[in-house]
Structure formats: structure tokens, C-alpha cells
Amino acid sequence: MYARRRRNYSLMMGGCIVLFVSAWAVVRLWSMPVAIGMCVVAMVIPPIAAMIANRRGPEDRWWDDPSGDPKSDEWWDELDGKKRR
């Protein structure tokens, strides 16, 4: 699951770099508005990549992990309707 997240993040950030570099190295010679548009798209990619990289999948059971604080774990188990033994 972590390899998939890391791969997706790397692909998105690589695409961001390609967009930015190609916009100012090549595309600006033909069309400045298109180069600016490419940079705007490249600007939006990093936050989206971070959200996708930090998204938990259905196989991630992070909500069942105990926090380490027995009182807090007992309280959350009571709210969830579970009995801790």
C-alpha cells in the first residue's frame, strides 16, 4: 500500500516538474498564455499529490490501533460498543 502511494506521488510530482520546465523552456516560445496555464496546472498538482499520498485505503486499519493511553482507548471502545479484555 505504501509503495502504491509513493509511486502515485512520484508520478504526480514528476508530471508537475515536466509541466513547469516544458512550459518555460519550450511552450513559452510559441504561446505565453498556454505556458502560464501549464504553470497554473503545475501549481495545483503538489497539494493534490500530497492528499492522494496521505489518503488511507480500505485495507488500512489505522482506526483500530490503540493509542497507547489506556483511559482513552477504554473510552473509544465504549463509544464504539466494543469491550476490551
Side-chain angles (χ1 to χ4, degrees):
M1 77 187 130
Y2 294 115
R4 178 178 38 88
R5 286 191 217 163
R6 197 172 24 246
R7 185 185 68 238
N8 288 341
Y9 179 80
S10 298
L11 286 173
M12 291 183 77
M13 292 306 290
C16 176
I17 291 172
V18 166
L19 275 173
F20 187 74
V21 170
S22 66
W24 292 113
V26 178
V27 177
R28 72 173 170 90
L29 300 173
W30 288 285
S31 175
M32 188 61 88
V34 172
I36 292 170
M38 288 172 68
C39 284
V40 168
V41 170
M43 179 182 67
V44 173
I45 291 175
I48 294 172
M51 286 186 276
I52 288 175
N54 290 318
R55 181 179 52 187
R56 305 270 185 188
E59 67 276 0
D60 295 338
R61 301 294 297 202
W62 58 272
W63 60 86
D64 287 341
D65 292 342
S67 68
D69 178 19
K71 190 156 185 84
S72 175
D73 292 338
E74 181 182 329
W75 183 74
W76 281 108
D77 288 343
E78 182 181 334
L79 283 178
D80 291 339
K82 292 191 273 183
K83 294 289 183 196
R84 196 164 219 148
R85 293 169 197 186

